[in-house]
Short mmCIF file of all heavy atoms in Angstrom, two decimals:
data_model
loop_
_atom_site.label_atom_id
_atom_site.label_comp_id
_atom_site.label_asym_id
_atom_site.label_seq_id
_atom_site.Cartn_x
_atom_site.Cartn_y
_atom_site.Cartn_z
N ILE A 1324 -20.42 2.38 -50.37
CA ILE A 1324 -21.27 2.41 -51.55
C ILE A 1324 -22.29 3.54 -51.40
O ILE A 1324 -22.90 3.69 -50.34
CB ILE A 1324 -22.00 1.06 -51.74
CG1 ILE A 1324 -20.98 -0.06 -51.98
CG2 ILE A 1324 -23.00 1.13 -52.89
CD1 ILE A 1324 -21.59 -1.45 -51.99
N CYS A 1325 -22.47 4.32 -52.46
CA CYS A 1325 -23.43 5.41 -52.43
C CYS A 1325 -24.27 5.39 -53.70
O CYS A 1325 -24.13 4.49 -54.54
CB CYS A 1325 -22.72 6.76 -52.25
SG CYS A 1325 -21.55 7.14 -53.59
N GLY A 1326 -25.13 6.42 -53.86
CA GLY A 1326 -26.05 6.43 -54.98
C GLY A 1326 -25.61 7.26 -56.17
O GLY A 1326 -25.68 6.81 -57.30
N THR A 1327 -25.15 8.49 -55.91
CA THR A 1327 -24.87 9.42 -57.00
C THR A 1327 -23.38 9.69 -57.13
O THR A 1327 -22.60 9.52 -56.20
CB THR A 1327 -25.60 10.75 -56.76
OG1 THR A 1327 -25.01 11.41 -55.62
CG2 THR A 1327 -27.08 10.54 -56.51
N HIS A 1328 -23.00 10.16 -58.33
CA HIS A 1328 -21.61 10.51 -58.56
C HIS A 1328 -21.20 11.74 -57.75
O HIS A 1328 -20.04 11.86 -57.34
CB HIS A 1328 -21.35 10.75 -60.04
CG HIS A 1328 -21.34 9.50 -60.85
ND1 HIS A 1328 -20.36 8.54 -60.71
CD2 HIS A 1328 -22.20 9.03 -61.80
CE1 HIS A 1328 -20.60 7.53 -61.54
NE2 HIS A 1328 -21.70 7.81 -62.19
N ALA A 1329 -22.14 12.66 -57.51
CA ALA A 1329 -21.83 13.82 -56.69
C ALA A 1329 -21.46 13.39 -55.27
O ALA A 1329 -20.48 13.88 -54.69
CB ALA A 1329 -23.02 14.79 -56.67
N THR A 1330 -22.24 12.46 -54.69
CA THR A 1330 -21.91 11.93 -53.37
C THR A 1330 -20.59 11.18 -53.40
O THR A 1330 -19.78 11.29 -52.48
CB THR A 1330 -23.04 11.01 -52.88
OG1 THR A 1330 -24.28 11.71 -52.84
CG2 THR A 1330 -22.73 10.46 -51.49
N ARG A 1331 -20.39 10.41 -54.45
CA ARG A 1331 -19.14 9.66 -54.58
C ARG A 1331 -17.93 10.58 -54.54
O ARG A 1331 -16.95 10.32 -53.82
CB ARG A 1331 -19.15 8.86 -55.89
CG ARG A 1331 -17.83 8.16 -56.22
CD ARG A 1331 -17.90 7.42 -57.54
NE ARG A 1331 -18.08 8.32 -58.67
CZ ARG A 1331 -17.10 8.94 -59.31
NH1 ARG A 1331 -15.84 8.78 -58.92
NH2 ARG A 1331 -17.35 9.75 -60.33
N ARG A 1332 -17.97 11.66 -55.32
CA ARG A 1332 -16.84 12.59 -55.34
C ARG A 1332 -16.64 13.24 -53.98
O ARG A 1332 -15.50 13.39 -53.52
CB ARG A 1332 -17.06 13.64 -56.43
CG ARG A 1332 -16.89 13.09 -57.85
CD ARG A 1332 -16.92 14.21 -58.87
NE ARG A 1332 -18.25 14.76 -59.02
CZ ARG A 1332 -19.14 14.35 -59.90
NH1 ARG A 1332 -18.86 13.35 -60.72
NH2 ARG A 1332 -20.33 14.92 -59.97
N HIS A 1333 -17.74 13.63 -53.32
CA HIS A 1333 -17.65 14.25 -52.00
C HIS A 1333 -17.03 13.29 -50.97
O HIS A 1333 -16.12 13.67 -50.23
CB HIS A 1333 -19.04 14.69 -51.54
CG HIS A 1333 -19.10 15.11 -50.11
ND1 HIS A 1333 -18.58 16.30 -49.66
CD2 HIS A 1333 -19.60 14.47 -49.02
CE1 HIS A 1333 -18.76 16.38 -48.35
NE2 HIS A 1333 -19.37 15.29 -47.93
N LEU A 1334 -17.51 12.05 -50.94
CA LEU A 1334 -17.00 11.08 -49.98
C LEU A 1334 -15.55 10.72 -50.26
O LEU A 1334 -14.74 10.59 -49.35
CB LEU A 1334 -17.88 9.83 -49.99
CG LEU A 1334 -19.29 9.97 -49.41
CD1 LEU A 1334 -20.07 8.67 -49.61
CD2 LEU A 1334 -19.24 10.30 -47.92
N ASN A 1335 -15.22 10.56 -51.52
CA ASN A 1335 -13.83 10.22 -51.86
C ASN A 1335 -12.87 11.30 -51.41
O ASN A 1335 -11.80 11.01 -50.87
CB ASN A 1335 -13.69 9.99 -53.37
CG ASN A 1335 -13.96 8.55 -53.76
OD1 ASN A 1335 -13.55 7.63 -53.08
ND2 ASN A 1335 -14.63 8.36 -54.88
N SER A 1336 -13.24 12.56 -51.65
CA SER A 1336 -12.37 13.66 -51.25
C SER A 1336 -12.18 13.67 -49.73
O SER A 1336 -11.07 13.84 -49.23
CB SER A 1336 -12.95 15.00 -51.73
OG SER A 1336 -12.99 15.06 -53.14
N ALA A 1337 -13.28 13.48 -49.00
CA ALA A 1337 -13.21 13.51 -47.54
C ALA A 1337 -12.47 12.30 -46.99
O ALA A 1337 -11.66 12.42 -46.06
CB ALA A 1337 -14.63 13.57 -46.96
N MET A 1338 -12.70 11.12 -47.56
CA MET A 1338 -12.10 9.90 -47.02
C MET A 1338 -10.61 9.81 -47.33
O MET A 1338 -9.83 9.37 -46.50
CB MET A 1338 -12.84 8.68 -47.57
CG MET A 1338 -14.26 8.53 -47.01
SD MET A 1338 -15.16 7.15 -47.76
CE MET A 1338 -14.25 5.76 -47.09
N LYS A 1339 -10.21 10.24 -48.53
CA LYS A 1339 -8.78 10.18 -48.84
C LYS A 1339 -8.01 11.16 -47.95
O LYS A 1339 -6.87 10.89 -47.55
CB LYS A 1339 -8.53 10.44 -50.32
CG LYS A 1339 -8.56 11.87 -50.79
CD LYS A 1339 -8.18 11.99 -52.24
CE LYS A 1339 -8.12 13.44 -52.69
NZ LYS A 1339 -6.97 14.15 -52.07
N THR A 1340 -8.62 12.32 -47.67
CA THR A 1340 -7.98 13.27 -46.77
C THR A 1340 -7.87 12.69 -45.37
O THR A 1340 -6.83 12.81 -44.70
CB THR A 1340 -8.77 14.60 -46.74
OG1 THR A 1340 -8.81 15.15 -48.07
CG2 THR A 1340 -8.11 15.59 -45.80
N ALA A 1341 -8.95 12.04 -44.91
CA ALA A 1341 -8.92 11.40 -43.59
C ALA A 1341 -7.88 10.28 -43.52
O ALA A 1341 -7.32 10.01 -42.45
CB ALA A 1341 -10.31 10.84 -43.25
N ALA A 1342 -7.61 9.67 -44.67
CA ALA A 1342 -6.59 8.62 -44.72
C ALA A 1342 -5.18 9.18 -44.79
O ALA A 1342 -4.20 8.41 -44.77
CB ALA A 1342 -6.84 7.71 -45.93
N GLY A 1343 -5.06 10.51 -44.88
CA GLY A 1343 -3.75 11.15 -44.89
C GLY A 1343 -3.21 11.49 -46.25
O GLY A 1343 -2.04 11.87 -46.39
N PHE A 1344 -4.07 11.39 -47.29
CA PHE A 1344 -3.63 11.69 -48.65
C PHE A 1344 -4.25 13.02 -49.07
O PHE A 1344 -5.43 13.10 -49.42
CB PHE A 1344 -4.04 10.57 -49.60
CG PHE A 1344 -3.54 9.22 -49.19
CD1 PHE A 1344 -4.43 8.20 -48.86
CD2 PHE A 1344 -2.18 8.97 -49.10
CE1 PHE A 1344 -3.97 6.96 -48.47
CE2 PHE A 1344 -1.72 7.72 -48.70
CZ PHE A 1344 -2.61 6.72 -48.39
N THR A 1345 -3.47 14.08 -49.07
CA THR A 1345 -3.99 15.41 -49.32
C THR A 1345 -3.73 15.90 -50.74
O THR A 1345 -4.27 16.92 -51.15
CB THR A 1345 -3.37 16.41 -48.33
OG1 THR A 1345 -1.94 16.36 -48.43
CG2 THR A 1345 -3.78 16.06 -46.90
N ALA A 1346 -2.92 15.20 -51.52
CA ALA A 1346 -2.61 15.62 -52.89
C ALA A 1346 -3.83 15.41 -53.79
O ALA A 1346 -4.69 14.57 -53.53
CB ALA A 1346 -1.41 14.86 -53.43
N ASP A 1347 -3.87 16.20 -54.87
CA ASP A 1347 -4.99 16.08 -55.82
C ASP A 1347 -4.90 14.84 -56.69
O ASP A 1347 -5.90 14.40 -57.25
CB ASP A 1347 -5.05 17.32 -56.73
CG ASP A 1347 -5.39 18.59 -55.97
OD1 ASP A 1347 -5.96 18.49 -54.87
OD2 ASP A 1347 -5.06 19.68 -56.47
N TYR A 1348 -3.68 14.29 -56.79
CA TYR A 1348 -3.47 13.12 -57.63
C TYR A 1348 -2.78 12.03 -56.82
O TYR A 1348 -2.15 12.30 -55.80
CB TYR A 1348 -2.61 13.48 -58.86
CG TYR A 1348 -3.18 14.62 -59.66
CD1 TYR A 1348 -2.66 15.90 -59.54
CD2 TYR A 1348 -4.25 14.41 -60.51
CE1 TYR A 1348 -3.19 16.95 -60.25
CE2 TYR A 1348 -4.79 15.46 -61.23
CZ TYR A 1348 -4.26 16.72 -61.10
OH TYR A 1348 -4.80 17.77 -61.81
N PRO A 1349 -2.90 10.77 -57.26
CA PRO A 1349 -2.26 9.68 -56.53
C PRO A 1349 -0.75 9.86 -56.42
O PRO A 1349 -0.10 10.37 -57.34
CB PRO A 1349 -2.61 8.44 -57.37
CG PRO A 1349 -3.81 8.83 -58.16
CD PRO A 1349 -3.66 10.29 -58.44
N SER A 1350 -0.20 9.42 -55.30
CA SER A 1350 1.24 9.46 -55.10
C SER A 1350 1.86 8.06 -55.05
O SER A 1350 3.08 7.92 -55.07
CB SER A 1350 1.57 10.19 -53.80
OG SER A 1350 1.07 9.45 -52.68
N GLY A 1351 1.00 7.05 -54.99
CA GLY A 1351 1.50 5.69 -54.90
C GLY A 1351 1.80 5.26 -53.48
O GLY A 1351 2.49 4.26 -53.26
N ALA A 1352 1.29 6.00 -52.49
CA ALA A 1352 1.61 5.72 -51.10
C ALA A 1352 0.57 4.83 -50.42
O ALA A 1352 0.56 4.71 -49.20
CB ALA A 1352 1.74 7.03 -50.33
N GLY A 1353 -0.28 4.19 -51.19
CA GLY A 1353 -1.29 3.32 -50.61
C GLY A 1353 -2.72 3.78 -50.79
O GLY A 1353 -3.64 3.25 -50.15
N GLU A 1354 -2.93 4.79 -51.68
CA GLU A 1354 -4.28 5.26 -51.95
C GLU A 1354 -5.14 4.17 -52.61
O GLU A 1354 -4.61 3.28 -53.27
CB GLU A 1354 -4.26 6.47 -52.88
CG GLU A 1354 -3.49 7.65 -52.35
CD GLU A 1354 -2.14 7.78 -53.00
OE1 GLU A 1354 -1.50 6.72 -53.22
OE2 GLU A 1354 -1.74 8.90 -53.30
N LYS A 1355 -6.44 4.27 -52.43
CA LYS A 1355 -7.38 3.32 -53.01
C LYS A 1355 -7.83 3.85 -54.37
O LYS A 1355 -8.53 4.85 -54.46
CB LYS A 1355 -8.58 3.10 -52.08
CG LYS A 1355 -9.45 1.91 -52.45
CD LYS A 1355 -10.46 1.63 -51.37
CE LYS A 1355 -11.25 0.36 -51.67
NZ LYS A 1355 -12.22 0.03 -50.57
N ILE A 1356 -7.45 3.14 -55.43
CA ILE A 1356 -7.70 3.56 -56.80
C ILE A 1356 -8.54 2.50 -57.49
O ILE A 1356 -8.29 1.30 -57.32
CB ILE A 1356 -6.38 3.76 -57.59
CG1 ILE A 1356 -5.41 4.65 -56.82
CG2 ILE A 1356 -6.66 4.33 -58.98
CD1 ILE A 1356 -5.89 6.05 -56.58
N ILE A 1357 -9.52 2.93 -58.29
CA ILE A 1357 -10.36 1.99 -59.02
C ILE A 1357 -10.29 2.28 -60.51
O ILE A 1357 -10.25 3.43 -60.94
CB ILE A 1357 -11.83 2.04 -58.52
CG1 ILE A 1357 -12.66 0.90 -59.14
CG2 ILE A 1357 -12.47 3.40 -58.80
CD1 ILE A 1357 -14.04 0.75 -58.51
N CYS A 1358 -10.24 1.22 -61.30
CA CYS A 1358 -10.23 1.33 -62.76
C CYS A 1358 -11.66 1.59 -63.26
O CYS A 1358 -12.61 0.94 -62.80
CB CYS A 1358 -9.68 0.04 -63.37
SG CYS A 1358 -9.57 0.02 -65.16
N LEU A 1359 -11.82 2.54 -64.19
CA LEU A 1359 -13.14 2.94 -64.66
C LEU A 1359 -13.48 2.43 -66.05
O LEU A 1359 -14.63 2.52 -66.46
CB LEU A 1359 -13.25 4.47 -64.66
CG LEU A 1359 -13.10 5.17 -63.31
CD1 LEU A 1359 -13.27 6.68 -63.49
CD2 LEU A 1359 -14.12 4.65 -62.30
N ARG A 1360 -12.50 1.93 -66.77
CA ARG A 1360 -12.73 1.42 -68.13
C ARG A 1360 -11.89 0.17 -68.34
O ARG A 1360 -10.79 0.05 -67.83
CB ARG A 1360 -12.36 2.46 -69.20
CG ARG A 1360 -13.18 3.73 -69.20
CD ARG A 1360 -14.58 3.50 -69.73
NE ARG A 1360 -15.31 4.74 -69.86
CZ ARG A 1360 -16.00 5.31 -68.90
NH1 ARG A 1360 -16.03 4.76 -67.69
NH2 ARG A 1360 -16.66 6.44 -69.10
N ASN A 1361 -12.42 -0.77 -69.11
CA ASN A 1361 -11.66 -1.98 -69.43
C ASN A 1361 -10.43 -1.63 -70.27
O ASN A 1361 -10.49 -0.80 -71.18
CB ASN A 1361 -12.51 -2.97 -70.22
CG ASN A 1361 -13.61 -3.58 -69.39
OD1 ASN A 1361 -13.50 -3.75 -68.19
ND2 ASN A 1361 -14.71 -3.97 -70.04
N ARG A 1362 -9.31 -2.26 -69.96
CA ARG A 1362 -8.11 -2.25 -70.79
C ARG A 1362 -7.64 -3.68 -70.89
O ARG A 1362 -6.75 -4.12 -70.18
CB ARG A 1362 -7.03 -1.35 -70.19
CG ARG A 1362 -7.23 0.13 -70.42
CD ARG A 1362 -7.05 0.51 -71.90
NE ARG A 1362 -5.75 0.12 -72.43
CZ ARG A 1362 -4.67 0.89 -72.38
NH1 ARG A 1362 -4.73 2.11 -71.83
NH2 ARG A 1362 -3.52 0.48 -72.88
N HIS A 1363 -8.29 -4.42 -71.79
CA HIS A 1363 -8.02 -5.85 -71.90
C HIS A 1363 -6.58 -6.12 -72.32
O HIS A 1363 -6.02 -7.16 -71.98
CB HIS A 1363 -9.00 -6.49 -72.89
CG HIS A 1363 -10.42 -6.47 -72.43
ND1 HIS A 1363 -10.84 -7.12 -71.29
CD2 HIS A 1363 -11.52 -5.87 -72.94
CE1 HIS A 1363 -12.14 -6.93 -71.13
NE2 HIS A 1363 -12.58 -6.16 -72.11
N ASP A 1364 -5.97 -5.17 -73.05
CA ASP A 1364 -4.59 -5.36 -73.46
C ASP A 1364 -3.63 -5.35 -72.27
O ASP A 1364 -2.54 -5.91 -72.34
CB ASP A 1364 -4.19 -4.27 -74.46
CG ASP A 1364 -4.37 -2.86 -73.90
OD1 ASP A 1364 -5.37 -2.62 -73.20
OD2 ASP A 1364 -3.51 -2.00 -74.19
N LEU A 1365 -4.05 -4.74 -71.15
CA LEU A 1365 -3.24 -4.68 -69.95
C LEU A 1365 -3.74 -5.59 -68.84
O LEU A 1365 -3.15 -5.65 -67.76
CB LEU A 1365 -3.18 -3.24 -69.42
CG LEU A 1365 -2.62 -2.18 -70.37
CD1 LEU A 1365 -2.72 -0.80 -69.73
CD2 LEU A 1365 -1.17 -2.49 -70.73
#
């Protein structure tokens, strides 16, 4: 958990790389993804 979106983006980039995920977009190989908007229909 952090304070700002700038820190969030920096940490996410560093942590996903440390986890072995170097692609710019998800590959479905176990990355940690969070939903940002409600989609009640889904």
Side-chain angles (χ1 to χ4, degrees):
I1324 297 172
C1325 60
T1327 68
H1328 287 293
T1330 302
R1331 173 181 65 85
R1332 288 188 289 268
H1333 170 74
L1334 290 175
N1335 271 320
S1336 296
M1338 291 176 68
K1339 79 175 184 69
T1340 301
F1344 304 117
T1345 57
D1347 294 338
Y1348 305 101
S1350 65
E1354 301 102 320
K1355 193 170 185 178
I1356 310 297
I1357 189 170
C1358 182
L1359 299 181
R1360 296 287 186 274
N1361 291 330
R1362 282 291 304 271
H1363 294 297
D1364 57 321
L1365 301 176

